Amino acid sequence: MAPEVARLGHVSLETPNLEESLSFFHDAVGLEIVDRVDDTVFLRAVDEHDHHSLSLTEADAARIDHIGWQTAEPEDVRKFAKKFEQQGFDLTWIEEDEEPGQGEAIRFEIPNGHRFELYGTMEKPEPPAKRQSKLKNRVYDPSGNNPVAPHRIDHVQVWDPDGFECAEWIRDELGFQVQEYYDEADGSRWGTFLSACEAKIDIAVVQSEHEDDLPALHHVAYAVDSPNDLFEAHNAMNEHGVPVDGIGQHGISRGEFMYARDPISGHRIEFNTGSYLTLDPHWEPIAWEAGDISDGDDHQWIGGIDSLDRVYY
Amino acid sequence: MAPEVARLGHVSLETPNLEESLSFFHDAVGLEIVDRVDDTVFLRAVDEHDHHSLSLTEADAARIDHIGWQTAEPEDVRKFAKKFEQQGFDLTWIEEDEEPGQGEAIRFEIPNGHRFELYGTMEKPEPPAKRQSKLKNRVYDPSGNNPVAPHRIDHVQVWDPDGFECAEWIRDELGFQVQEYYDEADGSRWGTFLSACEAKIDIAVVQSEHEDDLPALHHVAYAVDSPNDLFEAHNAMNEHGVPVDGIGQHGISRGEFMYARDPISGHRIEFNTGSYLTLDPHWEPIAWEAGDISDGDDHQWIGGIDSLDRVYY
Amino acid sequence: MAPEVARLGHVSLETPNLEESLSFFHDAVGLEIVDRVDDTVFLRAVDEHDHHSLSLTEADAARIDHIGWQTAEPEDVRKFAKKFEQQGFDLTWIEEDEEPGQGEAIRFEIPNGHRFELYGTMEKPEPPAKRQSKLKNRVYDPSGNNPVAPHRIDHVQVWDPDGFECAEWIRDELGFQVQEYYDEADGSRWGTFLSACEAKIDIAVVQSEHEDDLPALHHVAYAVDSPNDLFEAHNAMNEHGVPVDGIGQHGISRGEFMYARDPISGHRIEFNTGSYLTLDPHWEPIAWEAGDISDGDDHQWIGGIDSLDRVYY
Amino acid sequence: MAPEVARLGHVSLETPNLEESLSFFHDAVGLEIVDRVDDTVFLRAVDEHDHHSLSLTEADAARIDHIGWQTAEPEDVRKFAKKFEQQGFDLTWIEEDEEPGQGEAIRFEIPNGHRFELYGTMEKPEPPAKRQSKLKNRVYDPSGNNPVAPHRIDHVQVWDPDGFECAEWIRDELGFQVQEYYDEADGSRWGTFLSACEAKIDIAVVQSEHEDDLPALHHVAYAVDSPNDLFEAHNAMNEHGVPVDGIGQHGISRGEFMYARDPISGHRIEFNTGSYLTLDPHWEPIAWEAGDISDGDDHQWIGGIDSLDRVYY
């Protein structure tokens, strides 16, 4: 059987100042610190069982290191490795626990320069006893959580100098499903929104403005319950002195959003809610054309994104 | 490849008075009427593309006719048919459009007497032009919806005289994944909560009280956004004079609920929200034991279900 | 005893096209039509007992006719009349039912040109029987309401060429309480937020940009329950093709907002939620200074107002 | 001018174990500890400016000491004192700061045995600098609050052996307004819901079951934003192992509720939301009769109260 990607797992980020970045990701956003090894801190959201959905490493500059995808079966890592080696890709093998909690993995640059990691297994550490929920199907006791803590990683959005090509590669070689896409008036593809799990959008690939732009990450999205939570989170960001890049609702995906940005690294978190599930086995991608959503260049239905700044590999 | 079930599709119900039942399902609950053929009305929720997620047929008594499951591929219907014929099941073939909007299907009784339908395709009719949303990824314009209209079918809950056996059959023969289960102090299985799509619970199989109880349906659950919506829906039920069987939060699945019951037929709708996704490819079923949730016989975390009345095949 | 104003009652507006304006105020916003006399339609919100909180009259242009304030006692109308006549104001007497549902009233221009009405009593017509709530303390059955219908009038915001003077007059002559005010860096007053009822803000008086600007109305605010409702209302406005002038949260008053504008008349409704009550008998006005809220010229805490267009008397 | 009561200020409670009670009122419910003098802790809600809305004193048993009402003017305390002395009441004078933060006050038993305190002024201490909101009209920075912390005291509910007489005394002698009342089929008064501020219900006086029942307190209500918050607070109570006495919606007042009870003292907090304002100067009390709300003895619209246990003076 062909190897498959099951879901978005985590994003590995670098920051010039780990402590200051933690005051954003942990103190303001409410991600939980699970582990700390050398200059790297591993975080997860309060409704996540897995070891981490985000890692922060202190480095000379703010960068994204890789986006981690979990395969459907552990052995799919080797199947993918074999296939991509045959295609001439330069793979880096990551041994079990080299990235803490994680099984054997490969990392490599996909055609347009994004660095992906494919791994099969991830440990599921329990939270500290006093933070554990009494409900067996809930990880952390919510009464001890940061009031605005999001639940789980939802998706990533990347910029690519040839977004159409990049999205096609992800669809064809990794087996993702296209959920929605947006074409400009000249027929060029502005953005493609793909799913690894067939149930929701996992990655948005958006066309960058200039041909020689480097591939980059715009944001990592985490899920919250409702637009109320977006306002509560925005209030918390303001109280923490954290910059926010807009509140509103996407046309594409229909999800409501609020973007907060780590002041020291520029890494951006989207608080996201309200999208739909695509359990339909015959899902036809939603095909947007220029003019379908009139509200600005970034095709929002409500409000807008105030900053297109991004972080490079 | 082995045939697969992709998702819960619809439930087919019978009622002694179609018009009165419509005043519940349409006027009070807010399901949309898509089609009417002879004595059967086909309804769907406002965020559903498919032709129907519930049908109501006037008959001499209130009964459930069948639970419809969509296969992953259209050809899986024939693969399942072949397999179940070989196992000696008595299959009824349903031709394309015999159930309006639906492709070729089979219906049969599973071992403990529940009647399942497996179908591969379903039409996706557009709503009337004046009801259509301006957002291409939304079916109905919400400003024209019933204020409490739920979004989409979520799951069904059935009673079975041997719930353990029934759930095992569904897992083993249809390939469902067990998400959670609850065992009594004597080790007997009280309930099993299974997923057809691996992302969420699609069917709860609960042990009925007596050995000679017939298999039955307790409720069809539809998804709403938040506990606020449960209170709004409960208010609407009260205003419509519709009986409600409790508001609260399940321990199992963690979903918040409100149960409303059609006065004429006894068919029950759960307004449901707040459960989690299981995108983890290595999901380990949550194993509840007696005493894990102390709040009453029905293992709720908040509130309770006030009626165990059910509808038979 | 000195006469007192009890609360904001209603706003009387003119529009060049009554039917088109109704498609905004009734169809999109969800105000209920209570009465229609000649070219005037009287509307109220779904949680209002009084005959109207907004009237729309067809006229040659979009204008505001008057802002209606209810006095604490019916006899306060005559007391106010006597006082303002002695001060040389030119009063217009409005007989009982000349404005339908309303008792005897006076209308007059306050110093900077806003036209106020003071009335003592207002009829409380029941809704049509089939729209009436089963709860005796609720007016309309919410299950029949427009899904985004706001509950009650909350406040008005006016522009004034000398906002400081205007606000002082309202405080001193009508006995309003100042809840908050905002001073620019040069010490000039940007805005004063006053209460007629001492429990919440009823009128915001904002300094207009130029000395020769005419007094004007920026918006009439209606209350909803939560930020969720702001997003739902914004969705409804988009579906109705109604322009929206921003979503966010005020610094002053702390209320979350969304502004929708009648395309034909330019009259603007604020959907508002989240402000606080001032039951404190020794409330000290919140004194904002330049720099206290950094988010733009209009001193918002989240988001912003996209249009300062206004409607004149 | 006759003296007036402006609003409900605070409730003074006794507990057999101060630390255990604080783990309820502070750790679970989220009230802030403002001050501690000897065996008494003074708490307030996160949106309250005043020194305290609840005090807890360690004593030999769980009791209510008094309910504190703030007068409209400081001199109203002496006016009330003069009047009640003339009526033969036995007043206890409380000097300034004898109850910390509070100005001069009187305490006395009203006819049926409830102990009321009337005070004119209360200090408004700032929160600790690191907890202070950046918004000048908000007390605590919400990002540092307990996630379920209610905003402000809303009302109290007392039991009285002659509730009709008690409510009439409060109306006639303290000048409260009756907002709603409920009469049984035999014409007897079950409950009266009064307002000190004319804007909302401040005290519910309910008829106790037996003639020789002592006057008692059933609960102190604090306001939250929405039914979502009731579910979140209920989850927090469950996680803290705190008993909950029901979730639902009152018919009377229309407010949604959730009751949590201090395990050691039996003092009960209502998390409350959704009631209406009565700014109408001619408010007519809502007159409920037997049968108007069919949902149980305690006249709820949704759900019910599971415990009528109360705490005595």
Side-chain angles (χ1 to χ4, degrees):
Chain A
M1 245 179 78
E4 283 179 20
V5 172
R7 59 164 171 168
L8 173 63
H10 61 267
V11 179
S12 183
L13 305 175
E14 294 174 349
T15 172
N17 188 318
L18 183 56
E19 296 314 318
E20 288 189 33
S21 281
L22 283 175
S23 87
F24 171 71
F25 286 99
H26 174 65
D27 300 348
V29 172
L31 297 183
E32 296 291 336
I33 296 173
V34 177
D35 205 352
R36 187 169 192 145
V37 178
D38 303 328
D39 283 342
T40 301
V41 169
F42 297 87
L43 303 107
R44 66 177 172 187
V46 294
D47 207 17
E48 291 179 331
H49 296 266
D50 277 18
H51 183 272
H52 58 277
S53 61
L54 193 140
S55 71
L56 282 173
T57 301
E58 188 155 300
D60 57 346
R63 295 199 168 277
I64 167 168
D65 188 76
H66 65 266
I67 301 171
W69 302 93
Q70 187 172 18
T71 58
E73 300 298 335
E75 54 269 28
D76 288 347
V77 175
R78 292 187 173 240
K79 289 185 185 173
F80 272 123
K82 189 172 169 190
K83 162 176 157 173
F84 291 128
E85 272 169 352
Q86 286 171 348
Q87 292 182 6
F89 282 88
D90 184 22
L91 307 184
T92 302
W93 281 92
I94 309 297
E95 287 180 39
E96 187 174 339
D97 261 331
E98 188 176 330
E99 183 170 319
Q102 181 177 280
E104 188 185 51
I106 52 171
R107 288 188 199 150
F108 63 111
E109 269 187 24
I110 68 169
N112 291 25
H114 300 282
R115 200 172 305 128
F116 278 14
E117 179 179 71
L118 298 172
Y119 67 96
T121 60
M122 182 68 83
E123 283 176 22
K124 301 176 187 177
E126 293 199 340
K130 64 173 186 176
R131 295 289 313 283
Q132 202 159 3
S133 174
K134 288 186 179 171
L135 276 183
K136 279 183 154 177
N137 50 14
R138 183 153 66 188
V139 187
Y140 290 84
D141 165 3
S143 73
N145 294 347
N146 183 317
V148 304
H151 303 325
R152 56 169 177 75
I153 195 168
D154 191 80
H155 68 266
V156 291
Q157 192 225 301
V158 299
W159 292 92
D160 193 276
D162 189 337
F164 180 73
E165 186 182 75
C166 175
E168 290 228 308
W169 188 90
I170 292 171
R171 184 193 63 192
D172 296 341
E173 299 299 331
L174 295 179
F176 284 39
Q177 173 176 294
V178 175
Q179 308 281 80
E180 306 197 16
Y181 60 84
Y182 188 102
D183 284 344
E184 302 285 7
D186 64 2
S188 68
R189 180 69 38 98
W190 175 77
T192 313
F193 301 78
L194 302 108
S195 177
C197 62
E198 300 188 12
K200 49 172 272 301
I201 291 168
D202 292 304
I203 183 167
V205 181
V206 177
Q207 178 63 37
S208 57
E209 298 90 332
H210 311 100
E211 272 185 28
D212 55 352
D213 282 340
L214 293 169
L217 176 75
H218 184 266
H219 65 260
V220 185
Y222 277 83
V224 296
D225 276 338
S226 74
N228 279 354
D229 295 343
L230 301 180
F231 272 88
E232 285 189 21
H234 199 315
N235 267 282
M237 298 305 125
N238 289 11
E239 295 279 5
H240 279 91
V242 163
V244 168
D245 296 330
I247 187 169
Q249 184 174 11
H250 303 303
I252 301 159
S253 90
R254 237 170 59 194
E256 290 101 348
F257 64 85
M258 188 275 288
Y259 293 101
R261 191 159 23 92
D262 178 14
I264 191 73
S265 70
H267 290 303
R268 192 183 286 104
I269 292 290
E270 177 183 354
F271 288 79
N272 181 275
T273 188
S275 292
Y276 54 87
L277 296 182
T278 49
L279 303 175
D280 181 353
H282 308 298
W283 180 258
E284 285 297 318
I286 306 290
W288 299 90
E289 290 169 25
D292 278 339
I293 320 171
S294 52
D295 202 359
D297 286 351
D298 50 1
H299 317 305
Q300 309 304 339
W301 175 244
I302 292 177
I305 302 178
D306 299 335
S307 163
L308 302 184
D309 286 353
R310 58 206 77 168
V311 176
Y312 300 93
Y313 290 85
Chain B
M1 244 178 78
E4 285 178 20
V5 172
R7 59 164 171 167
L8 173 62
H10 61 268
V11 179
S12 182
L13 305 175
E14 294 175 349
T15 172
N17 187 317
L18 184 56
E19 296 314 318
E20 289 190 32
S21 282
L22 283 175
S23 87
F24 171 71
F25 287 99
H26 174 65
D27 301 348
V29 172
L31 297 183
E32 296 290 337
I33 297 172
V34 176
D35 206 352
R36 187 170 192 144
V37 177
D38 302 327
D39 283 342
T40 302
V41 169
F42 297 87
L43 303 108
R44 66 176 171 186
V46 294
D47 206 18
E48 291 179 332
H49 297 266
D50 277 19
H51 183 272
H52 58 278
S53 61
L54 193 140
S55 71
L56 282 172
T57 301
E58 188 155 300
D60 57 346
R63 293 197 170 277
I64 166 168
D65 188 76
H66 66 266
I67 301 171
W69 302 92
Q70 187 173 18
T71 57
E73 302 297 334
E75 54 268 28
D76 288 348
V77 174
R78 291 187 173 241
K79 288 184 185 174
F80 272 124
K82 188 171 170 191
K83 162 177 157 173
F84 290 128
E85 273 169 351
Q86 285 171 348
Q87 293 182 5
F89 283 89
D90 184 21
L91 307 184
T92 302
W93 281 91
I94 309 297
E95 287 181 39
E96 187 174 340
D97 261 330
E98 188 175 330
E99 183 170 320
Q102 181 178 280
E104 187 184 52
I106 53 172
R107 288 187 199 153
F108 63 111
E109 269 187 22
I110 68 170
N112 291 25
H114 300 282
R115 200 173 303 127
F116 279 12
E117 178 180 72
L118 298 172
Y119 66 96
T121 60
M122 182 67 84
E123 282 175 24
K124 301 177 186 177
E126 293 199 341
K130 65 173 184 174
R131 294 290 312 284
Q132 202 159 3
S133 174
K134 288 187 177 168
L135 276 183
K136 281 183 153 176
N137 51 15
R138 184 153 66 189
V139 187
Y140 290 85
D141 165 2
S143 73
N145 294 346
N146 183 317
V148 303
H151 304 323
R152 56 170 176 75
I153 195 168
D154 191 81
H155 67 266
V156 290
Q157 192 224 301
V158 298
W159 292 92
D160 193 274
D162 188 338
F164 180 74
E165 187 183 75
C166 175
E168 289 228 308
W169 187 90
I170 292 172
R171 184 193 64 190
D172 295 341
E173 299 298 332
L174 295 179
F176 285 40
Q177 173 176 293
V178 175
Q179 308 280 81
E180 307 197 16
Y181 60 84
Y182 188 102
D183 284 344
E184 301 285 7
D186 64 2
S188 68
R189 179 71 35 101
W190 176 77
T192 313
F193 302 79
L194 302 108
S195 177
C197 62
E198 301 188 10
K200 50 172 272 300
I201 292 167
D202 292 303
I203 183 168
V205 181
V206 177
Q207 177 63 38
S208 57
E209 298 89 332
H210 311 99
E211 271 185 28
D212 55 351
D213 283 339
L214 292 170
L217 176 74
H218 184 266
H219 66 260
V220 185
Y222 277 84
V224 296
D225 276 339
S226 74
N228 280 353
D229 295 344
L230 301 180
F231 273 87
E232 285 189 22
H234 199 315
N235 267 281
M237 298 305 124
N238 289 11
E239 295 280 5
H240 279 90
V242 163
V244 169
D245 296 330
I247 186 169
Q249 184 173 10
H250 303 302
I252 300 159
S253 90
R254 235 171 59 196
E256 290 101 348
F257 63 85
M258 187 276 286
Y259 294 100
R261 192 161 23 93
D262 178 13
I264 190 74
S265 70
H267 291 302
R268 191 183 286 105
I269 292 290
E270 177 183 353
F271 289 79
N272 180 276
T273 189
S275 292
Y276 55 86
L277 297 182
T278 49
L279 304 175
D280 181 353
H282 309 299
W283 181 257
E284 286 296 319
I286 306 290
W288 299 90
E289 290 168 24
D292 278 340
I293 321 172
S294 53
D295 202 359
D297 286 352
D298 50 1
H299 316 307
Q300 309 304 338
W301 174 244
I302 293 178
I305 302 178
D306 300 336
S307 163
L308 301 184
D309 286 353
R310 59 207 76 171
V311 177
Y312 299 94
Y313 290 85
Chain C
M1 246 178 77
E4 284 179 20
V5 172
R7 60 163 170 169
L8 173 63
H10 61 268
V11 179
S12 182
L13 305 175
E14 294 175 349
T15 172
N17 188 317
L18 184 56
E19 296 314 318
E20 289 189 32
S21 282
L22 283 175
S23 87
F24 171 72
F25 286 99
H26 174 65
D27 301 348
V29 172
L31 298 182
E32 295 291 336
I33 296 172
V34 177
D35 207 352
R36 186 168 193 145
V37 178
D38 303 327
D39 283 343
T40 302
V41 169
F42 297 88
L43 303 108
R44 65 177 172 186
V46 293
D47 206 17
E48 291 179 330
H49 297 265
D50 278 19
H51 183 271
H52 57 279
S53 61
L54 193 140
S55 71
L56 283 172
T57 301
E58 187 154 302
D60 58 346
R63 294 200 169 276
I64 167 169
D65 188 76
H66 66 265
I67 301 171
W69 303 94
Q70 187 173 18
T71 58
E73 301 298 334
E75 54 269 28
D76 287 348
V77 175
R78 290 186 174 239
K79 289 184 185 174
F80 272 124
K82 191 172 167 189
K83 163 177 156 172
F84 290 129
E85 272 168 352
Q86 285 171 349
Q87 292 182 6
F89 283 89
D90 185 21
L91 307 184
T92 302
W93 281 91
I94 309 298
E95 286 180 41
E96 188 174 339
D97 261 332
E98 187 176 331
E99 183 170 321
Q102 182 177 279
E104 188 185 52
I106 52 172
R107 287 186 200 153
F108 62 111
E109 269 187 23
I110 68 169
N112 291 24
H114 299 283
R115 200 173 303 129
F116 279 13
E117 179 179 70
L118 298 172
Y119 67 96
T121 60
M122 182 66 84
E123 281 176 24
K124 300 176 186 177
E126 292 199 340
K130 66 173 184 174
R131 294 291 312 283
Q132 202 159 1
S133 174
K134 288 187 178 170
L135 275 182
K136 280 183 153 177
N137 51 14
R138 184 153 64 189
V139 188
Y140 290 84
D141 165 1
S143 73
N145 294 345
N146 182 316
V148 303
H151 304 323
R152 56 168 177 78
I153 195 168
D154 190 80
H155 68 265
V156 290
Q157 192 225 302
V158 299
W159 292 92
D160 192 275
D162 189 338
F164 180 73
E165 188 182 72
C166 176
E168 288 228 308
W169 187 89
I170 292 171
R171 184 193 64 191
D172 296 340
E173 299 300 332
L174 296 179
F176 284 40
Q177 172 175 295
V178 175
Q179 308 281 81
E180 306 197 16
Y181 60 84
Y182 188 103
D183 285 344
E184 300 286 8
D186 64 2
S188 68
R189 179 70 38 99
W190 175 77
T192 313
F193 302 79
L194 302 107
S195 176
C197 62
E198 300 188 11
K200 49 171 272 301
I201 291 168
D202 293 303
I203 182 168
V205 181
V206 177
Q207 178 63 37
S208 58
E209 298 89 333
H210 310 101
E211 272 184 28
D212 54 352
D213 282 340
L214 291 170
L217 176 75
H218 185 265
H219 65 261
V220 185
Y222 278 84
V224 296
D225 276 339
S226 74
N228 279 353
D229 294 344
L230 301 180
F231 272 88
E232 284 189 21
H234 199 316
N235 267 280
M237 298 305 125
N238 288 11
E239 295 280 6
H240 278 91
V242 163
V244 169
D245 296 330
I247 188 168
Q249 185 173 10
H250 303 302
I252 300 160
S253 89
R254 236 170 60 194
E256 289 102 348
F257 63 86
M258 188 277 287
Y259 293 101
R261 192 160 23 92
D262 178 14
I264 189 73
S265 69
H267 290 302
R268 191 184 287 105
I269 292 290
E270 177 182 353
F271 289 79
N272 180 274
T273 189
S275 293
Y276 54 87
L277 296 182
T278 50
L279 303 175
D280 181 353
H282 309 299
W283 180 257
E284 286 296 319
I286 305 290
W288 299 90
E289 290 168 26
D292 278 340
I293 321 172
S294 53
D295 202 359
D297 286 351
D298 50 1
H299 316 306
Q300 308 303 338
W301 174 245
I302 293 177
I305 302 178
D306 299 336
S307 163
L308 302 184
D309 286 353
R310 59 207 75 170
V311 176
Y312 299 94
Y313 290 86
Chain D
M1 246 177 77
E4 284 179 20
V5 172
R7 60 165 169 167
L8 173 63
H10 61 268
V11 179
S12 183
L13 305 175
E14 294 174 349
T15 172
N17 188 318
L18 184 55
E19 296 314 317
E20 287 190 33
S21 282
L22 283 174
S23 87
F24 170 71
F25 286 99
H26 174 65
D27 300 348
V29 173
L31 297 183
E32 295 290 337
I33 296 173
V34 177
D35 205 352
R36 186 168 193 145
V37 177
D38 303 328
D39 283 343
T40 302
V41 169
F42 297 87
L43 303 107
R44 66 177 171 187
V46 294
D47 207 17
E48 292 179 330
H49 296 266
D50 278 19
H51 184 271
H52 57 278
S53 60
L54 193 140
S55 70
L56 283 173
T57 300
E58 187 153 302
D60 57 347
R63 294 199 168 277
I64 167 168
D65 188 76
H66 66 266
I67 300 172
W69 302 94
Q70 186 172 20
T71 58
E73 300 298 335
E75 54 270 27
D76 288 348
V77 174
R78 290 184 175 243
K79 289 184 186 174
F80 272 124
K82 190 172 168 189
K83 163 176 156 172
F84 290 129
E85 272 169 352
Q86 285 171 350
Q87 293 182 6
F89 282 89
D90 185 22
L91 307 184
T92 302
W93 281 92
I94 308 297
E95 286 180 41
E96 187 174 339
D97 261 333
E98 188 176 330
E99 183 170 320
Q102 183 177 279
E104 190 185 50
I106 53 171
R107 287 187 199 152
F108 63 111
E109 268 187 23
I110 69 169
N112 290 26
H114 300 282
R115 200 173 302 129
F116 278 13
E117 179 179 70
L118 298 172
Y119 66 97
T121 60
M122 182 66 85
E123 282 176 22
K124 300 176 187 178
E126 292 198 339
K130 66 173 185 176
R131 294 290 312 283
Q132 202 158 4
S133 173
K134 288 186 178 170
L135 275 182
K136 279 183 154 178
N137 50 14
R138 184 154 64 189
V139 188
Y140 290 84
D141 165 2
S143 73
N145 294 346
N146 182 317
V148 303
H151 304 323
R152 56 168 177 77
I153 194 168
D154 191 80
H155 68 266
V156 291
Q157 192 224 301
V158 299
W159 291 92
D160 193 275
D162 189 337
F164 181 73
E165 187 183 74
C166 176
E168 289 228 308
W169 188 90
I170 291 171
R171 184 193 63 191
D172 296 342
E173 299 299 332
L174 296 179
F176 284 40
Q177 172 176 293
V178 175
Q179 309 280 81
E180 307 197 17
Y181 60 85
Y182 188 102
D183 285 344
E184 301 285 6
D186 64 2
S188 67
R189 179 71 37 100
W190 175 77
T192 313
F193 302 78
L194 302 108
S195 176
C197 62
E198 301 188 12
K200 49 172 272 301
I201 291 167
D202 292 303
I203 183 168
V205 181
V206 177
Q207 178 64 38
S208 57
E209 297 89 333
H210 310 100
E211 273 185 28
D212 55 351
D213 282 340
L214 292 169
L217 176 75
H218 185 266
H219 66 261
V220 185
Y222 277 84
V224 296
D225 276 339
S226 74
N228 280 354
D229 294 343
L230 301 180
F231 272 88
E232 285 189 21
H234 200 315
N235 268 281
M237 298 306 124
N238 288 12
E239 294 279 5
H240 279 90
V242 163
V244 169
D245 296 329
I247 187 169
Q249 184 173 11
H250 304 303
I252 301 159
S253 90
R254 234 170 62 193
E256 290 101 347
F257 63 85
M258 187 276 287
Y259 294 101
R261 190 159 25 91
D262 178 14
I264 190 73
S265 69
H267 291 302
R268 191 184 285 103
I269 291 291
E270 177 183 354
F271 289 79
N272 181 275
T273 189
S275 293
Y276 54 86
L277 297 181
T278 50
L279 304 175
D280 181 353
H282 309 299
W283 180 259
E284 285 298 318
I286 305 291
W288 299 89
E289 291 168 24
D292 279 340
I293 321 171
S294 53
D295 202 358
D297 287 350
D298 50 0
H299 316 306
Q300 309 304 339
W301 175 245
I302 293 177
I305 302 179
D306 300 335
S307 163
L308 302 184
D309 286 352
R310 58 206 76 170
V311 176
Y312 299 93
Y313 289 86

